[in-house]
Amino acid sequence: LVINGPNLNTLGTREPEIYGATTLAEIEAGLVAQGAAAGLAVDTFQSNHEGAIIDRLHAARSDGTEFVIINPGAFTHTSIALRDAFQAAAVPFCEVHISNVYAREPFRHHSYLSDLAVGVMAGFGTRGYTLAMAFVVERLNRS
């Protein structure tokens, strides 16, 4: 399962100097293809609403989801509720950020999720998603 949080639906047009020109649809299509090549079904989900993301994580607990890749966007730095949802879902996850959040404003340096995540990708541009997927494929193949 790949989850994208608030404002990520504007990728490709939003601050291209930070986030690049690749759209979310292009990222998702690439991840679905990357997963399929490894024999994995990849579901994608994006919402600008915290509750919708939490509901999707709750569903992941019982729908067969084996791993989550999430770019929580600004919820990274604000959402204790999202943290609690990951704890409740008990599904392993990787946190992805297109930009290097540690080279940006100080409020972006804190994540409510990173200490729960199996791994964190930050600053690799949209390639961070494909690197995270490669990690997930390797991890699931070991299981």
Side-chain angles (χ1 to χ4, degrees):
L1 172 62
V2 179
I3 297 176
N4 281 281
N7 301 309
L8 292 162
N9 57 306
T10 64
L11 287 175
T13 59
R14 174 188 176 206
E15 299 175 276
E17 68 281 2
I18 295 174
Y19 300 107
T22 306
T23 67
L24 182 59
E26 291 168 331
I27 292 167
E28 290 175 336
L31 293 172
V32 168
Q34 185 180 0
L40 299 176
V42 176
D43 188 22
T44 63
F45 180 81
Q46 187 279 327
S47 182
N48 294 316
H49 304 281
E50 184 178 36
I53 294 170
I54 290 167
D55 288 343
R56 185 60 189 95
L57 283 172
H58 289 177
R61 182 178 179 130
S62 59
D63 70 4
T65 297
E66 295 181 79
F67 211 98
V68 174
I69 294 171
I70 185 167
N71 183 339
F75 292 146
T76 305
H77 323 291
T78 63
S79 183
I80 295 168
L82 189 54
R83 176 189 177 83
D84 289 348
F86 269 110
Q87 287 179 306
V91 176
F93 71 98
C94 282
E95 181 180 342
V96 174
H97 300 284
I98 295 169
S99 68
N100 179 356
V101 293
Y102 302 103
R104 297 185 64 193
E105 305 93 337
F107 71 86
R108 295 187 195 274
H109 299 180
H110 178 262
S111 168
Y112 280 103
L113 306 176
S114 293
D115 65 314
L116 300 177
V118 174
V120 178
M121 289 293 213
F124 292 94
T126 57
R127 183 148 193 259
Y129 287 96
T130 58
L131 294 169
M133 183 62 75
F135 172 80
V136 170
V137 167
E138 180 181 315
R139 183 176 168 118
L140 292 177
N141 283 338
R142 282 189 312 204
S143 300

